[in-house]
Amino acid sequence: MIHSLFLVNASGDIFLEKHWKSVVSRSVCDYFFEAQERATEPENVPPVIPTPHHYLISVLRHRIYFVAVIQSEVPPLFVIEFLHRVVDTFQDYFGVCTEAAIKDNVVVVYELLEEMLDNGFPLATESNILKELIKPPTILRTMVNTITGSTNVGEQLPTGQLSVVPWRRTGVKYTNNEAYFDVVEEIDAIIDKSGSTITAEIQGVIDACVKLTGMPDLTLSFMNPRLLDDVSFHPCVRFKRWEAERILSFIPPDGNFRLLSYHVSSQNLVAIPVYVKHNISFREGSSQGRFDLTLGPKQTMGKAVEAVLVSSQLPRGVLNANLNASQGTYTFDPVTKMLTWDVGKINPQKLPSLKGTMSLQAGASKPDENPTINIQFKTQQMAISGLKVNRLDMYGEKYKPFKGIKYMTKAGKFQVRT
Amino acid sequence: MSVQNFPPIYSTVVEIFQWLKSVYKNISFPEKGSCLSSGRSLAPRGRRSCSSIGCIVSVPFGSHNNVWSTGRDPAIWEADTDAVYAALSHHLWSTFTAPEAKSSNEDLKEMLESNKESLKLEAMKRVVGLIAKGKNASELFPAVVKNVASKNIELKKLVYVYLVRYAEEQQDLALLSISTFQRALKEPNQFIRASALRVLSSIRVSIIVPIMMLAIKEASADMSPYVRKTAAHAIQKLYSLDPDQKEQLIEVIEKLLKDKSTLVAGSVVVAFDEVCPDRIDLIHKNYRKLCNLLVDVEEWGQVVIISMLTRYARTQFTSPWKEGAMFDEDNEKAFYESEEEKKDQTEATPYTMDPDHRLLLRNTKPLLQSRNTAVVMSVAQLYWHLAPKHEVNIVTKSLVRLLRSHREVQYIVLQNIATMSIQRKGMFEPFMKSFYVRSTDATHIKTLKFLFLRDSDAVFPFLFSSSQTYVKSQDKAFAAATIQAIGRCATDISEVTDTCLSGLVLLLSNRDETVVAESVVVIKKLLQTQPTQHSDIIKHMAKLFDNISVSMARASILWLMGEYCERVPKIAPDVLRKMAKTFTAEEDIVKLQTVNLAAKLYLTNSKQTKLLTQYILNLGKYDQSYDIRDRTRFVRQLIVPNEKSGALNKYARRILLAPKPAPMLESAFKDRDRFQLGTLSHSINSKATGYQELSDWPAVAPDQSVRNVEVVEPKPRNLNSESEEQSSDESDETSSDSGKSSSGSEKSSSESEPEQKKKTKTKKAPQKKSKAAAAVTAPSFGPVKTHELLHHMTGKGLSAKYHFPRQPCLYQPSMVAVQVILANSSDHSLEKIHIGDRSPAGLNIHCFNTIERLEPEASVTVSMGIDFSDSTQAANFQLCTKEDQFSVSIQPVVGELLMPSTMSEQDFSKEQGKLLGMNETSATVAMATANTSSQAVSKQVLSVANVGVVSSGPNDLHRFAGRTVSSGALVLVSLELKESSALLTINTEKSVMASMLLRDLKQALALA
């Protein structure tokens, strides 16, 4: 299975290595560096690279390459999924997953990697179990440890490891028992030149933050479960119950976790909450181009569209942009040619617009494509698919928990072709 | 290198070194990395760090001639022996490979040897930091290894990390640590046992192979499933260290495969795959168990089990694919490619799927909803390779969902989807929109998506319109892929060929060279397939010829001109004229095609082109490239008639202007279906090391009964290997006298009911309970006995068995955990299985959740908690299905009402002192001869009661401690061996329990 792991930063230095079997020389990464040099963008490095004796499988997260060295046949997704789980765990432990954070916590990182894999096969990847084995570093705990000489490492086998609910530790206690659920939906859409929707779909997740004492058994039911077309669950959800009754029944892990991600069936028409009027043109022979963009709300069910951010990769020939924003601020990076416009909230009475000219390289021919516009936005208190949670019940414990549900709609990969 | 000589010479070496330092300022010193492999990233860092010391020396390690490459003053070295050299290089190795550690390593050593824990810990943390950076810290080995037995758990763990890293290099010293691990393997704390085994098996020193083997064997029979899991991992480690142990390891694997724990299942299958993937016979008996456990196995285990079962199923079941063939073999014949299957069709035997085959498919299906992409992929490949054709479609939706995941996941999934959709067009058609390309996708993902899109007829109009957008994309590699895809569309879907061609011709006037070049190449291929009415396009291309500078494109146009010169009689010679002008400046590939064109024109239209051809052939004759000279000579001999060329000349026309078959435009994924989907080999399209072929379906199914042994076997496996036979015997028995036993159980339950109503016990105070929960640690796992709860005759097909898993109950600490295995042996599915009324009314039961549906032949394990209030009174309740109610009762054995408690020998004596007098019960037991060893005694005691072993010295006194689950009262068992008899003493305030326990223990110990 996984033989070794190398962490490579953006400038191509190996800053951490870990071997689970006999040591593999660093020089194996040369093949990776070769592929990296060949790729134009960091994302274009192929995830699977065969070398004469090994296979390198890498993922790129937070501008760090996690390169796993494999010696024999293994499902590549197995490795990729595991590497992403490693990154998630680091993020969970250190807040961020950057080179600096990893270097600062190199001992914890090593202890974690040691626990997560044994002989290249995953051993404990559930965050609740890991946290019992190795406590996450906090400032308070570091101080206490230095004074008392106690350690971050647990001495007992985590209770979850043996039980039928490995994701939950036993003996959880809270004074305030609370369970919060966030229903977050993302709209992926491609809008063509004329404003008609080429494709639009809704992907949603339910993230939960559950802080309940003991072993609560929760059930969550929806008003309209038929909307959910394709779902994937946290391991705690009982498949059978869902298949028979469309009810989510589970003993939750302690803390934050993703309960469910779903896809809304494509038959339903997707309401697009914003529209864009654009006029971007370059004229042959002139070194000027026109840029004119107006945003407006559409089908928002009365909720405000917030945190709007427009970004666009302008053609290479554009030297500078001289624009005027009616609202918010815009920036243009002359090196990457990236135009970003932070709009903020859309006011339906006074639509935000960005107008002006772009100066082109003198003598250069007219760029042959118009830039694509990427839009981000957020709408609170609304799930665009209309999904509604009906009720949340708790069994197995006697107290009354505090329950909360929040809805939000965001733009996912929302592109407008011009 | 002779390290033995090292200490005495050391000082002189250092002196020489100091001296060298002062003399040589700029001698270069090769790093370890660059010696071995010229590691790109290592070299600069090594240089930087060396210069910080100020002296850079070149030592060619491993070669004894040419000692100092600088060669300035070799005289001094001639006097010294090899030993000096060896010592010096050894010294340089250790100091220079971690140069900044040179000074700090000294104080790290000091810190490690100090008495303060905190200093040691700090030092170890820094050492781990060095290891993480890939620096060499091996010289600290002796200092580090001393701390292996440290009390501080974090320090110990870090030492383990170090040990595993360097043990291979320092084998002798590593052996010093082995005894520590051997001792730890006997610890009562399962976690410590497991980690000791983990480290012990990771130390790659061949001398300890026998020790490892022994440890693995012992651990594989451990009571804790966690330790057994670790043993499964250790099997692979030992196998890679010493493959000669294979036979013995297979035995262990066989034993572990029978394990019932979900924790072990995944790991042992990994070991199986690694050590003996061809021993399919080991799987037979465990097949159904693995299928049933699958949903509860941790996600990583699921992946390996599923792929193993895929291979298994391919050898054991007959192909389900012929079924579809019988129904619609006329129109869908294309699907069934292999010869073998066509033969099967003619036989036309009705196909029925093996129930085990169905079981696998049914049990893997819910896993499509896993959050783990690897699990989803492996289920998808299982369905692809095993399911009947009409069922495969259920995986598409889940695969499409994975496309929302990380970039790397998308990449792999798209590769697999591409292979699938080539074989089964239209499979992903309903989800076309998910494959639309976004400007933010990485190039290889865009390309894959597009490769895939062209498969569908329905999507064509969209494809074509958006390809106009894609072609304009700044990502040129992607633009090229788009054009290729259009080309493939045009060949595959004949109705749209014209549209595609005209679209491509439009692209010819694109300003971007790569786009134009790619279009020309594709048009060339297209025209070749349908040359009839396309002379316009050829003319258009000829016009554009002047503006195109990419050589591949130019060559393609020239070839087209030559091939179809008869359709454009006026233009072709003109193009040749232009080429003659620029011939010398063209690239080789263009020159070759020019010669070709000239030759073809000479044959068809020699009147106009004779001179031009002569001119070009003359130019070619003196070209720099021998390839072109060769070709020119050949062509001249072929076409220009002279006395020498003879017969060949006559055939020139037939040779050059032969009708050429059109090329097949194929997807790059055409040949990938030879690999199992989802594998590494499939991803890189070549066989990876260790790839195991997926065998073809057998023509005749092998014997199905090999899997039968466990049909009526819901009993959790005893860890002893002989249990295999036992269980089958038992199952025979139960089925034969089923009527009798079921009536008996009914009777007993009805009898015990009124009895229980009389006694109503009040619950113990809660604070006592919490104390009990805290004190109870490290549950011990003994062999588990299964009891019948409901026989399938009584239960109208529903049968239930229960056992005590001896785990702390999840629901309430005062409850005893009970696992109930429900099985449906009727021929219809049972619905809404739940627990109804219970008695006594106050009985505190944590019910399992209602089971909505239990299919025939299926079984499910549920866990419940029962508060027996420390009495052996039966818990009666009703087991209800949708239609029926069955009253059942669980009669606890007294030993199961206990939880093991760990305490030291002193504590034990202290507590025992408090529980004398009427709290003490004792008896003399006649011991069976087999039970005199201490191990056998513990085994027997633990089989009766869930207590913990109190570690004590090697005398004849055995102590066990436990607490009652409900009230947390101490129960102390001590056993003093006296030759053939023993004095058994039980101290507890629960005197009723004591006498019952005494009776049970007496029986067990007297039993051989």
Side-chain angles (χ1 to χ4, degrees):
Chain A
M1 298 260 153
I2 299 170
H3 216 103
S4 304
L5 176 69
F6 293 97
L7 267 55
V8 178
N9 64 13
S11 51
D13 283 327
I14 302 171
F15 65 93
L16 188 119
E17 61 179 64
K18 168 91 184 112
H19 308 275
W20 283 275
K21 301 184 185 182
S22 49
V23 179
V24 178
S25 159
R26 277 178 174 224
S27 57
V28 75
C29 287
D30 289 355
Y31 295 98
F32 177 79
F33 295 132
E34 254 170 51
Q36 199 186 5
E37 259 163 41
R38 242 178 287 132
T40 44
E41 305 269 323
E43 290 85 27
N44 285 351
V45 180
V48 183
I49 304 170
T51 78
H53 300 289
H54 300 92
Y55 306 95
L56 305 177
I57 298 184
S58 60
V59 305
L60 173 69
R61 293 266 304 261
H62 309 282
R63 304 182 66 225
I64 300 173
Y65 290 100
F66 291 74
V67 186
V69 182
I70 311 295
Q71 214 158 29
S72 62
E73 174 66 51
V74 59
L77 273 185
F78 184 93
V79 182
I80 289 169
E81 178 79 25
F82 176 78
L83 291 176
H84 281 299
R85 213 58 78 76
V86 170
V87 182
D88 294 341
T89 310
F90 286 172
Q91 230 171 347
D92 195 17
Y93 265 72
F94 314 129
V96 284
C97 179
T98 59
E99 189 184 345
I102 291 174
K103 278 181 170 168
D104 287 347
N105 296 294
V106 72
V107 175
V108 180
V109 165
Y110 239 69
E111 285 168 346
L112 278 174
L113 290 175
E114 188 74 29
E115 287 305 332
M116 289 179 85
L117 276 186
D118 179 19
N119 196 36
F121 189 76
L123 190 65
T125 48
E126 218 36 84
S127 104
N128 260 281
I129 291 183
L130 282 171
K131 281 191 174 156
E132 267 186 81
L133 282 170
I134 300 145
K135 305 203 176 65
T138 60
I139 296 169
L140 183 70
R141 189 169 293 126
T142 325
M143 275 171 54
V144 171
N145 284 351
T146 39
I147 296 162
T148 61
S150 61
T151 60
N152 277 340
V153 178
E155 198 160 339
Q156 285 295 332
L157 183 70
T159 42
Q161 186 70 279
L162 288 174
S163 71
V164 281
V165 280
W167 52 86
R168 188 174 180 90
R169 58 196 174 94
T170 46
V172 184
K173 275 218 167 66
Y174 288 103
T175 40
N176 293 325
N177 289 297
E178 38 193 25
Y180 297 107
F181 294 88
D182 290 359
V183 180
V184 183
E185 295 194 337
E186 289 190 357
I187 306 175
D188 287 359
I190 303 177
I191 313 279
D192 79 353
K193 236 178 216 172
S194 58
S196 57
T197 312
I198 295 180
T199 158
E201 39 180 16
I202 302 172
Q203 305 282 345
V205 293
I206 299 182
D207 284 331
C209 174
V210 177
K211 296 182 171 172
L212 296 174
T213 309
M215 274 286 161
D217 197 333
L218 303 180
T219 52
L220 187 78
S221 62
F222 298 100
M223 306 269 262
N224 37 11
R226 278 178 188 285
L227 276 176
L228 306 183
D229 179 37
D230 183 35
V231 283
S232 74
F233 300 120
H234 189 274
C236 68
V237 179
R238 298 182 178 106
F239 286 126
K240 291 266 157 69
R241 204 76 202 276
W242 171 258
E243 257 164 36
E245 298 168 72
R246 301 273 139 179
I247 282 177
L248 293 176
S249 152
F250 54 98
I251 296 175
D254 186 38
N256 294 314
F257 66 101
R258 174 155 297 175
L259 178 66
L260 168 82
S261 39
Y262 60 89
H263 177 258
V264 174
S265 55
S266 41
Q267 280 79 17
N268 300 28
L269 278 178
V270 179
I272 305 287
V274 290
Y275 71 86
V276 181
K277 268 198 278 182
H278 52 82
N279 182 5
I280 302 172
S281 59
F282 305 97
R283 245 175 308 140
E284 196 69 67
S286 118
S287 63
Q288 291 273 312
R290 255 184 60 195
F291 190 97
D292 188 342
L293 201 69
T294 311
L295 293 173
K298 187 177 144 187
Q299 297 172 303
T300 60
M301 301 172 203
K303 304 284 193 290
V305 182
E306 296 166 349
V308 180
L309 186 77
V310 177
S311 62
S312 177
Q313 173 85 50
L314 296 186
R316 248 167 280 169
V318 176
L319 279 183
N320 209 346
N322 187 12
L323 306 170
N324 190 12
S326 72
Q327 179 186 340
T329 52
Y330 83 93
T331 52
F332 177 70
D333 184 343
V335 183
T336 59
K337 314 289 180 200
M338 186 57 93
L339 176 76
T340 31
W341 176 28
D342 189 351
V343 185
K345 194 170 168 178
I346 296 184
N347 179 359
Q349 272 75 47
K350 191 171 160 292
L351 297 177
S353 65
L354 186 66
K355 285 179 188 156
T357 56
M358 295 172 285
S359 50
L360 296 167
Q361 222 155 6
S365 54
K366 156 181 176 283
D368 40 37
E369 68 165 340
N370 268 348
T372 314
I373 298 166
N374 292 306
I375 302 176
Q376 288 166 37
F377 56 82
K378 239 187 238 176
T379 318
Q380 304 280 3
Q381 299 160 2
M382 172 185 75
I384 196 86
S385 67
L387 186 77
K388 272 237 147 55
V389 171
N390 185 20
R391 54 182 299 149
L392 176 73
D393 297 305
M394 189 184 73
Y395 303 98
E397 297 288 337
K398 302 227 160 44
Y399 54 84
K400 263 206 131 38
F402 186 80
K403 300 177 273 195
I405 297 222
K406 207 167 79 181
Y407 297 93
M408 187 161 70
T409 300
K410 284 202 289 196
K413 294 171 185 160
F414 196 99
Q415 291 187 348
V416 180
R417 291 181 184 159
T418 61
Chain B
M1 272 163 219
S2 54
V3 188
Q4 278 80 1
N5 298 336
F6 183 56
I9 308 166
Y10 183 81
S11 56
T12 57
V13 170
V14 172
E15 279 164 29
I16 294 166
F17 188 70
Q18 293 294 336
W19 174 80
L20 266 172
K21 219 169 164 181
S22 58
V23 176
Y24 297 117
K25 289 278 190 264
N26 290 309
I27 314 165
S28 71
F29 175 75
E31 248 278 271
K32 183 183 177 183
S34 55
C35 275
L36 300 173
S37 59
S38 70
R40 188 192 84 138
S41 61
L42 272 176
R45 188 180 303 115
R47 227 171 285 135
R48 209 182 306 136
S49 43
C50 285
S51 57
S52 66
I53 290 194
C55 167
I56 305 170
V57 186
S58 166
V59 181
F61 295 109
S63 66
H64 284 233
N65 50 359
N66 183 19
V67 174
W68 295 97
S69 53
T70 51
R72 269 208 222 168
D73 190 3
I76 182 168
W77 294 103
E78 285 166 7
D80 276 308
T81 58
D82 276 1
V84 178
Y85 174 73
L88 175 60
S89 53
H90 180 270
H91 180 74
L92 290 175
W93 261 113
S94 41
T95 49
F96 273 97
T97 45
E100 61 254 55
K102 188 207 166 192
S103 54
S104 71
N105 272 1
E106 283 305 317
D107 53 65
L108 278 180
K109 210 180 260 175
E110 260 168 47
M111 282 163 83
L112 283 169
E113 277 160 8
S114 77
N115 293 326
K116 280 176 104 178
E117 287 276 284
S118 56
L119 271 181
K120 284 182 180 176
L121 191 61
E122 183 55 37
M124 262 335 278
K125 283 183 173 171
R126 277 159 61 182
V127 171
V128 167
L130 286 178
I131 296 174
K133 277 183 216 144
K135 303 221 164 107
N136 191 354
S138 61
E139 59 162 13
L140 290 167
F141 202 93
V144 173
V145 111
K146 273 179 212 161
N147 295 312
V148 73
S150 167
K151 285 272 184 308
N152 183 321
I153 189 102
E154 188 171 18
L155 179 60
K156 195 145 88 174
K157 283 230 160 137
L158 296 176
V159 173
Y160 286 178
V161 169
Y162 182 92
L163 205 56
V164 171
R165 171 70 178 75
Y166 287 112
E168 214 170 353
E169 294 171 24
Q170 310 249 352
Q171 306 215 349
D172 295 345
L173 287 169
L175 292 179
L176 297 177
S177 61
I178 303 297
S179 63
T180 323
F181 297 120
Q182 283 179 299
R183 222 174 307 135
L185 283 171
K186 301 264 182 323
E187 281 268 334
N189 184 338
Q190 51 177 337
F191 189 45
I192 292 180
R193 283 204 303 279
S195 43
L197 181 63
R198 262 181 76 185
V199 183
L200 179 68
S201 54
S202 301
I203 294 176
R204 298 180 54 82
V205 178
S206 46
I207 306 172
I208 63 163
V209 165
I211 300 178
M212 260 153 99
M213 193 67 225
L214 205 68
I216 290 174
K217 276 186 180 163
E218 241 164 59
S220 68
D222 199 282
M223 287 176 282
S224 153
Y226 185 70
V227 177
R228 297 202 297 272
K229 184 189 177 73
T230 324
H233 289 169
I235 291 172
Q236 308 157 54
K237 299 184 206 167
L238 181 56
Y239 181 66
S240 68
L241 182 64
D242 182 9
D244 293 343
Q245 305 291 320
K246 189 172 174 179
E247 287 311 311
Q248 290 194 55
L249 288 175
I250 291 177
E251 279 171 32
V252 183
I253 290 175
E254 193 176 359
K255 191 155 78 178
L256 285 175
L257 273 172
K258 289 177 191 147
D259 205 299
K260 275 276 177 185
S261 165
T262 52
L263 210 55
V264 187
S267 303
V268 69
V269 169
V270 176
F272 171 83
D273 269 348
E274 195 113 322
V275 181
C276 51
D278 43 341
R279 288 290 302 275
I280 281 249
D281 55 301
L282 297 181
I283 303 298
H284 291 322
K285 300 222 163 70
N286 301 299
Y287 174 80
R288 286 175 201 169
K289 183 197 73 185
L290 283 175
C291 287
N292 286 326
L293 283 183
L294 200 56
V295 182
D296 295 320
V297 174
E298 34 92 39
E299 40 196 352
W300 310 108
Q302 285 171 349
V303 179
V304 288
I305 294 177
I306 291 173
S307 64
M308 190 274 289
L309 288 180
T310 309
R311 268 183 288 116
Y312 177 84
R314 265 304 191 65
T315 62
Q316 298 300 319
F317 307 125
T318 50
S319 167
W321 297 340
K322 49 193 172 184
E323 184 186 31
M326 277 182 357
F327 294 130
D328 40 23
E329 59 182 292
D330 306 334
N331 46 4
E332 300 208 342
K333 218 164 195 165
F335 283 2
Y336 308 97
E337 286 153 2
S338 81
E339 283 297 307
E340 195 190 59
E341 278 156 10
K342 278 179 189 149
K343 264 184 253 156
D344 290 343
Q345 286 173 24
T346 52
E347 280 169 29
T349 44
Y351 171 81
T352 43
M353 190 184 265
D354 190 308
D356 288 330
H357 190 171
R358 177 50 70 201
L359 176 77
L360 178 61
L361 292 175
R362 197 174 50 221
N363 281 351
T364 46
K365 193 182 163 196
L367 296 179
L368 281 172
Q369 261 142 21
S370 169
R371 65 168 172 174
N372 188 321
T373 56
V375 174
V376 178
M377 188 67 232
S378 64
V379 177
Q381 66 86 21
L382 181 129
Y383 264 81
W384 178 252
H385 291 296
L386 296 182
K389 296 284 181 192
H390 59 275
E391 283 177 44
V392 177
N393 283 334
I394 62 162
V395 306
T396 50
K397 204 191 272 180
S398 310
L399 283 181
V400 170
R401 186 185 68 229
L402 300 190
L403 293 179
R404 284 270 308 168
S405 188
H406 298 286
R407 179 182 66 92
E408 297 85 4
V409 176
Q410 283 183 35
Y411 175 74
I412 304 289
V413 173
L414 279 170
Q415 282 186 331
N416 285 295
I417 287 181
T419 306
M420 287 174 153
S421 66
I422 284 169
Q423 283 187 41
R424 300 199 57 188
K425 296 205 164 134
M427 190 170 160
F428 288 89
E429 218 156 86
F431 303 98
M432 264 316 149
K433 289 194 168 179
S434 305
F435 293 88
Y436 288 4
V437 179
R438 293 167 198 282
S439 64
T440 42
D441 289 337
T443 307
H444 52 250
I445 291 189
K446 286 181 189 164
T447 319
L448 276 169
K449 275 188 177 172
F450 213 92
L451 260 181
F452 166 77
L453 274 179
R454 59 120 203 154
D455 270 348
S456 160
D457 305 8
V459 84
F460 180 75
F462 157 76
L463 170 65
F464 199 72
S465 69
S466 56
S467 65
Q468 302 290 346
T469 320
Y470 298 158
V471 166
K472 284 184 200 156
S473 149
Q474 300 192 351
D475 193 337
K476 289 310 165 202
F478 172 58
T482 313
I483 295 165
Q484 280 173 6
I486 296 178
R488 273 190 229 107
C489 262
T491 40
D492 286 5
I493 314 164
S494 54
E495 307 89 73
V496 298
T497 314
D498 285 345
T499 336
C500 284
L501 258 182
S502 53
L504 286 168
V505 171
L506 275 179
L507 288 177
L508 287 179
S509 40
N510 195 296
R511 218 172 317 115
D512 190 87
E513 268 180 19
T514 36
V515 172
V516 175
E518 201 63 50
S519 314
V520 170
V521 175
V522 172
I523 290 177
K524 175 194 131 184
K525 289 183 185 165
L526 273 181
L527 285 186
Q528 226 183 323
T529 50
Q530 294 178 310
T532 35
Q533 64 275 46
H534 297 306
S535 53
D536 289 352
I537 293 167
I538 300 177
K539 277 179 200 155
H540 186 76
M541 287 170 76
K543 271 183 219 154
L544 288 167
F545 186 71
D546 294 341
N547 302 325
I548 296 172
S549 59
V550 179
S551 50
M552 188 62 206
R554 286 176 79 90
S556 291
I557 295 182
L558 287 175
W559 186 87
L560 273 176
M561 292 288 152
E563 196 61 27
Y564 306 114
C565 53
E566 279 161 285
R567 297 183 197 282
V568 281
K570 291 198 179 133
I571 293 166
D574 194 48
V575 172
L576 186 66
R577 181 185 59 83
K578 281 185 193 160
M579 283 314 296
K581 241 196 268 180
T582 55
F583 186 83
T584 44
E586 298 292 344
E587 285 201 34
D588 282 3
I589 184 172
V590 184
K591 284 178 182 170
L592 284 175
Q593 288 306 331
T594 313
V595 174
N596 255 356
L597 174 65
K600 283 172 185 169
L601 281 175
Y602 183 87
L603 290 175
T604 53
N605 189 0
S606 60
K607 215 193 313 168
Q608 274 185 311
T609 55
K610 192 171 183 187
L611 285 172
L612 270 174
T613 310
Q614 292 284 357
Y615 176 66
I616 286 171
L617 289 178
N618 280 334
L619 282 177
K621 194 175 173 184
Y622 300 107
D623 198 89
Q624 282 192 324
S625 159
Y626 60 79
D627 218 11
I628 292 166
R629 292 199 301 271
D630 264 3
R631 175 74 63 92
T632 315
R633 213 170 296 133
F634 162 70
V635 165
R636 186 190 292 274
Q637 292 300 322
L638 192 62
I639 59 170
V640 184
N642 57 11
E643 58 277 13
K644 268 187 271 172
S645 59
L648 205 56
N649 196 0
K650 287 181 215 151
Y651 299 107
R653 207 184 166 85
R654 275 164 75 182
I655 292 171
L656 281 174
L657 294 175
K660 295 167 183 79
M664 292 292 289
L665 289 164
E666 277 195 345
S667 161
F669 286 84
K670 198 83 187 169
D671 57 341
R672 292 211 179 184
D673 53 345
R674 62 201 159 112
F675 296 110
Q676 189 176 354
L677 287 186
T679 58
L680 182 61
S681 306
H682 176 266
S683 180
I684 57 177
N685 198 17
S686 72
K687 204 169 161 180
T689 347
Y691 173 75
Q692 288 156 33
E693 295 280 348
L694 200 61
S695 66
D696 265 335
W697 297 102
V700 182
D703 187 14
Q704 300 181 10
S705 61
V706 284
R707 289 181 292 274
N708 270 351
V709 179
E710 295 198 46
V711 191
V712 246
E713 207 273 320
K715 174 191 161 184
R717 287 230 164 264
N718 201 312
L719 292 170
N720 306 330
S721 52
E722 66 265 25
S723 65
E724 189 54 63
E725 296 151 38
Q726 273 178 13
S727 71
S728 56
D729 289 350
E730 273 169 48
S731 61
D732 286 343
E733 258 171 46
T734 45
S735 52
S736 64
D737 56 18
S738 53
K740 232 192 284 172
S741 69
S742 58
S743 62
S745 72
E746 238 180 11
K747 211 170 147 193
S748 71
S749 64
S750 57
E751 271 173 7
S752 54
E753 244 173 88
E755 216 177 35
Q756 276 165 7
K757 273 174 190 159
K758 286 179 217 156
K759 299 181 197 168
T760 39
K761 271 201 169 179
T762 50
K763 274 197 202 167
K764 301 286 167 194
Q767 67 263 38
K768 245 188 170 175
K769 261 187 237 165
S770 62
K771 190 181 139 205
V776 169
T777 50
S780 68
F781 292 80
V784 192
K785 285 189 194 114
T786 309
H787 314 270
E788 180 140 279
L789 188 62
L790 180 66
H791 194 272
H792 66 87
M793 295 296 280
T794 338
K796 299 183 185 167
L798 177 70
S799 71
K801 307 199 174 192
Y802 69 92
H803 64 91
F804 298 96
R806 295 197 170 178
Q807 284 169 2
C809 186
L810 298 169
Y811 313 108
Q812 265 176 43
S814 67
M815 284 183 175
V816 177
V818 181
Q819 271 186 358
V820 182
I821 301 149
L822 298 162
N824 182 358
S825 48
S826 67
D827 51 359
H828 57 274
S829 59
L830 297 168
E831 287 176 12
K832 288 211 192 310
I833 301 173
H834 63 279
I835 288 176
D837 297 336
R838 53 194 87 159
S839 70
L843 184 68
N844 194 0
I845 296 186
H846 189 283
C847 309
F848 53 86
N849 286 304
T850 306
I851 296 162
E852 285 312 320
R853 200 179 167 81
L854 191 64
E855 298 292 338
E857 299 293 322
S859 73
V860 64
T861 307
V862 290
S863 54
M864 48 191 291
I866 302 177
D867 191 347
F868 286 107
S869 310
D870 288 351
S871 81
T872 51
Q873 202 178 85
N876 298 329
F877 54 89
Q878 299 212 303
L879 199 59
C880 310
T881 64
K882 204 178 173 190
E883 292 96 16
D884 299 293
Q885 299 189 336
F886 312 103
S887 21
V888 292
S889 77
I890 290 181
Q891 175 84 46
V893 188
V894 64
E896 303 294 347
L897 299 176
L898 303 176
M899 288 296 279
S901 163
T902 41
M903 54 172 65
S904 66
E905 209 179 328
Q906 287 94 337
D907 287 343
F908 186 90
S909 328
K910 210 168 87 188
E911 294 292 338
Q912 203 174 22
K914 289 181 196 163
L915 294 166
L916 294 174
M918 62 177 290
N919 287 335
E920 188 176 271
T921 324
S922 64
T924 315
V925 190
M927 295 287 282
T929 40
N931 286 345
T932 42
S933 76
S934 65
Q935 231 175 352
V937 166
S938 327
K939 206 176 119 188
Q940 289 297 345
V941 173
L942 293 183
S943 72
V944 171
N946 187 14
V947 287
V949 183
V950 176
S951 54
S952 55
N955 51 22
D956 286 340
L957 193 60
H958 300 281
R959 301 182 176 87
F960 306 89
R963 281 178 189 278
T964 60
V965 171
S966 194
S967 61
L970 264 181
V971 178
L972 305 172
V973 179
S974 54
L975 188 73
E976 204 178 347
L977 291 179
K978 290 171 188 162
E979 291 174 6
S980 68
S981 65
L983 183 68
L984 183 66
T985 316
I986 296 176
N987 301 68
T988 178
E989 54 190 30
K990 304 259 171 193
S991 49
V992 184
M993 283 186 89
S995 60
M996 288 167 87
L997 189 60
L998 196 69
R999 194 191 60 210
D1000 287 356
L1001 282 173
K1002 237 167 135 176
Q1003 265 176 11
L1005 289 168
L1007 221 70

